[in-house]
Amino acid sequence: MKRGKISSLKGELHIPGDKSISHRSVMFGAIAEGKTVIKNFLPGADCLSTIACFRKMGVEIEQNGSDVTVLGKGLDQLAEPAELLDVGNSGTTIRLMLGILAGRPFHSTVAGDESIAKRPMKRVTEPLRKMGAKIDGRAGGEYTPLSVRGGHLTAIDFQSPVASAQIKSAVLLAGLQAEGTTTVTEPHKSRDHTERMLSMFGVSLQEDETSVSIEGGQQLKAAEVFVPGDISSAAFFLAAASLVPDSEVVLRNVGLNPTRTGIIDVLKEMGADLEIEEKDAGNAEPYGDLRIKTSSLKAVEISGDLIPRLIDEIPIIALLATQAEGTTVIKDAAELKVKETNRIDTVASELKKIGANIEPTEDGMKIHGRTPLTGGAKVSSHGDHRIGMMLGIAACISEQPIDILQSEAVSVSYPSFFEHIEKLAAKA
Ligand code: S3P
């Protein structure tokens, strides 16, 4: 797909539903008792994979665009799947579902696409095995395909070596089915959508700053879920409006969970012109409207406990940093190497092709600004949705058009991404 420079962006967008929350709403609805109604569900490829997997376990799920109804009959009624559970490109689907499967007294096989086949699974299969699940897979359970025979779990006290909501959630979902109280402790707090949504479904949890405990044997009760817009998707338009001259954009109903708002802190520190109007603090997940205008940016340093609060935004932050005064340093972010692609490598290699001055490091990168982007090259998403979207925004500010290969990867989390750019450009 060839994309070129845009003179200005104006107007407003309703950002599609949050991917993390959409996955959880289907999974928790599937194991709850009763009818769960979900509004503003994200009909992106990843969340559709979650729906397909739970249908294969006998759960009735109706999906009509962003309206979803899940007819849950409780954990005990999940059926042994007759086919492979295919998670597509979705790390959240496979890791959280493994936590559920670990406690089910049946056999299942899970696998996904080429990218999933390279992503580490021992971080989840090891604690689940410790709890009593029988899991096997390539390289001793590190890589897909994985086969699971679950049931008879015992609670554990698990110290996770990384701050990861996928690991934390998998162990908590197994803990829900285990005898005793399971505790997960992380080095830094990761996103807490699982904890918030389990509470909505009537489960009680004990939380402090970096640990969560859950008692086994609790039953989930169906709930009504409103999924706010995905701040990780909004981030691309926050960046676009900051960088494209003479822009002013309003993003409606964006999720503002504090475990996800690192991008807002960083934009403010960089000098972005950003206003936030919180809407309904009463919702299980806070959300609001964001108004952003073009501004002159300066470099920042990003590390430590800020990293899990913006891990998915690092590709777009790298693009912002190419246009900020000074050198931006990102460290403590080695997790980037095990995302949909090695995002330290893909961000650096693709942005360099269009003129950026970036040095990849062991646990992050250094970006030297301001460096005008020349464009005029072929780049690729490498099948990674967030790399595809970052390059889509890079094209808006590049001197010459760029050719983005595998741009269709954006449909994993934001199928209308390129249409939304057109919509804002047309209003300008
Ligand atoms: C997610 C957690 C994060 C994030 C991913 C979604 C989730 O992964 O990068 O896009 O929904 O729990 P990790 O838990 O591996 O950090």
Side-chain angles (χ1 to χ4, degrees):
M1 170 190 273
K2 211 157 190 140
R3 310 265 332 162
K5 197 165 185 166
I6 281 174
S7 54
S8 134
L9 294 169
K10 292 254 156 75
E12 64 171 62
L13 292 178
H14 276 93
I15 297 291
D18 185 279
K19 182 159 75 70
S20 293
I21 300 173
S22 295
H23 282 299
R24 288 161 173 79
S25 63
V26 168
M27 292 191 192
F28 299 176
I31 61 173
E33 274 174 8
K35 179 166 146 185
T36 287
V37 177
I38 309 163
K39 298 280 175 217
N40 202 39
F41 173 83
L42 169 67
D46 264 14
C47 300
L48 296 178
S49 296
T50 294
I51 291 184
C53 288
F54 282 85
R55 279 183 178 149
K56 284 185 185 163
M57 289 185 270
V59 183
E60 220 178 290
I61 305 172
E62 272 170 40
Q63 184 240 335
N64 195 351
S66 58
D67 287 326
V68 176
T69 308
V70 185
L71 296 173
K73 292 186 184 140
L75 259 168
D76 292 341
Q77 296 303 310
L78 280 189
E80 181 168 61
E83 288 170 69
L84 171 87
L85 300 173
D86 183 356
V87 303
N89 189 243
S90 178
T92 305
T93 309
I94 191 164
R95 297 209 179 100
L96 269 63
M97 194 166 66
L98 281 169
I100 294 173
L101 295 172
R104 294 300 82 216
F106 56 62
H107 173 263
S108 54
T109 312
V110 289
D113 68 6
E114 257 173 67
S115 155
I116 280 291
K118 292 188 202 138
R119 300 186 67 184
M121 294 297 149
K122 266 200 182 153
R123 45 178 58 200
V124 170
T125 56
E126 261 178 5
L128 297 178
R129 279 169 171 167
K130 272 199 194 120
M131 296 176 82
K134 295 194 175 47
I135 306 180
D136 205 353
R138 227 164 17 103
E142 177 68 318
Y143 300 117
T144 57
L146 297 169
S147 72
V148 186
R149 186 168 287 283
H152 303 294
L153 302 184
T154 317
I156 53 167
D157 196 340
F158 181 62
Q159 307 274 338
S160 177
V162 272
S164 155
Q166 294 179 355
I167 302 177
K168 172 175 65 178
S169 304
V171 176
L172 290 175
L173 288 167
L176 191 63
Q177 308 172 73
E179 209 172 301
T181 301
T182 294
T183 301
V184 183
T185 306
E186 306 183 275
H188 302 289
K189 187 178 170 80
S190 64
R191 62 189 68 190
D192 65 359
H193 305 301
T194 293
E195 296 89 309
R196 284 174 188 256
M197 201 182 290
L198 281 177
S199 302
M200 270 183 75
F201 279 75
V203 172
S204 83
L205 300 138
Q206 282 69 50
E207 290 177 66
D208 63 30
E209 189 40 39
T210 52
S211 64
V212 194
S213 301
I214 191 166
E215 204 185 310
Q218 302 185 63
Q219 187 53 253
L220 279 74
K221 303 235 154 29
E224 284 197 9
V225 182
F226 169 71
V227 183
D230 198 328
I231 192 167
S232 296
S233 298
F236 295 100
F237 288 98
L238 294 174
S242 297
L243 298 177
V244 174
D246 194 27
S247 296
E248 179 167 355
V249 168
V250 176
L251 306 174
R252 300 270 178 219
N253 295 348
V254 177
L256 294 173
N257 179 318
T259 61
R260 297 282 301 281
T261 49
I263 179 68
I264 290 180
D265 298 356
V266 163
L267 277 167
K268 283 188 176 158
E269 207 187 323
M270 293 180 96
D273 185 345
L274 171 63
E275 283 169 40
I276 304 168
E277 197 189 319
E278 279 232 21
K279 271 197 178 156
D280 184 2
N283 192 44
E285 290 282 353
Y287 64 96
D289 293 345
L290 306 177
R291 178 182 294 272
I292 183 123
K293 298 181 193 164
T294 313
S295 59
S296 167
L297 302 177
K298 55 181 195 297
V300 281
E301 290 209 11
I302 304 174
S303 63
D305 58 8
L306 187 52
I307 296 293
R309 295 181 57 233
L310 47 65
I311 187 73
D312 292 339
E313 283 62 79
I314 291 176
I316 193 66
I317 290 172
L319 176 68
L320 280 163
T322 66
Q323 304 309 307
E325 192 59 50
T327 296
T328 291
V329 179
I330 301 172
K331 51 187 183 190
D332 303 328
E335 274 296 294
L336 290 174
K337 294 182 186 168
V338 291
K339 294 295 177 187
E340 286 83 333
T341 55
N342 176 334
R343 286 185 177 158
I344 296 180
D345 289 354
T346 48
V347 165
S349 73
E350 300 315 294
L351 280 177
K352 272 187 193 166
K353 289 180 190 162
I354 53 173
N357 185 352
I358 298 197
E359 292 167 57
T361 62
E362 250 323 288
D363 66 348
M365 54 192 97
K366 289 186 186 145
I367 307 120
H368 306 284
R370 298 184 166 109
T371 309
L373 298 182
T374 49
K378 253 192 192 139
V379 292
S380 172
S381 76
H382 294 269
D384 182 335
H385 54 130
R386 300 199 202 284
I387 300 296
M389 290 188 275
M390 181 275 283
L391 293 169
I393 303 300
C396 300
I397 58 161
S398 292
E399 290 309 322
Q400 300 298 322
I402 64 178
D403 201 354
I404 309 173
L405 306 179
Q406 297 188 56
S407 58
E408 68 286 348
V410 306
S411 65
V412 156
S413 64
Y414 201 159
S416 53
F417 173 74
F418 288 110
E419 281 157 45
H420 280 182
I421 298 183
E422 303 312 334
K423 185 181 165 200
L424 297 178
K427 289 247 167 76

